[in-house]
Amino acid sequence: MTTTTALPLKNGQWAVDPLHSSVGFVIRHLGISKVRGTFREFATTLTVDGDDIAVTADVEVASLDTGNSDRDAHVLQPDLLDVAKRPTLSFRSTRVERDGDEGTLTGDLTIGDVTRSVTFDVEFGGLGDFPGAPGKHAGFEATGEIKRSDFGIDFGAGEAILGDKIKIQLDVQYTEPA
């Protein structure tokens, strides 16, 4: 990990604040417009040990929400995403590089039985107190892009309908350890 300034984070395991966090994505439809969606069920932790930082995340694929329940049900079927074959998305960081409040987070993303290294651009939003709750909250935004084909997600006849590139947008608040 490369650092130029220390983040003001308490050592220990920071837990996600799910009410103030989101896992979002954007994919092209017919090559002419974008479909946006989220995954409603996820868990993530941030572990701080001095300058060493580690991030883990697990996302439940069945919690897909694009704002259209019929589309979501179809996307989860075997001819598209195949939630039975790919029930979770898992991320384990392998490298964190920072320069002040910005940096990159690299790690192993596993979708189904395929694992690939991915890198996210990260911005530290800062630390704040949440009224009525103990401890500090730390906010982060991470963005990146993956290709679904890199993870063996092919749509057969539907290839022309949905793009290969998927943009990922993560907004996460963590709460400091007690």
Side-chain angles (χ1 to χ4, degrees), residues 9-173:
L9 300 177
K10 183 177 180 180
N11 282 343
Q13 189 173 62
W14 291 63
V16 69
D17 175 352
L19 298 177
H20 300 100
S21 301
S22 64
V23 174
F25 65 90
V26 179
I27 189 169
R28 285 255 178 215
H29 182 259
L30 298 176
I32 60 172
S33 65
K34 297 177 181 178
V35 172
R36 299 173 191 281
T38 61
F39 290 98
R40 299 281 178 205
E41 295 179 30
F42 55 90
T44 177
T45 58
L46 168 71
T47 303
V48 178
D49 185 9
D51 283 339
D52 292 331
I53 297 172
V55 176
T56 66
D58 295 296
V59 176
E60 297 298 323
V61 175
S63 71
L64 172 82
D65 182 355
T66 64
N68 181 305
S69 59
D70 290 338
R71 175 175 49 214
D72 296 345
H74 183 233
V75 170
L76 295 173
Q77 294 303 306
D79 61 327
L80 293 177
L81 192 51
D82 196 353
V83 70
K85 182 179 175 184
R86 301 176 186 95
T88 59
L89 314 174
S90 297
F91 178 83
R92 303 293 179 261
S93 66
T94 57
R95 183 180 174 105
V96 175
E97 295 183 51
R98 341 183 242 103
D99 185 3
D101 290 343
E102 296 182 357
T104 58
L105 173 65
T106 301
D108 293 329
L109 177 63
T110 302
I111 303 175
D113 60 357
V114 178
T115 301
R116 297 276 187 260
S117 179
V118 299
T119 299
F120 296 96
D121 293 323
V122 178
E123 179 183 341
F124 174 56
L127 271 174
D129 292 313
F130 188 63
K136 299 277 187 195
H137 282 229
F140 296 88
E141 178 182 351
T143 57
E145 185 174 278
I146 63 171
K147 288 185 174 181
R148 61 178 171 75
S149 60
D150 288 347
F151 293 89
I153 302 172
D154 298 310
F155 296 152
E159 283 297 307
I161 296 173
L162 292 173
D164 191 31
K165 294 179 184 176
I166 301 171
K167 293 182 181 182
I168 299 172
Q169 173 80 37
L170 309 168
D171 291 293
V172 183
Q173 267 190 44

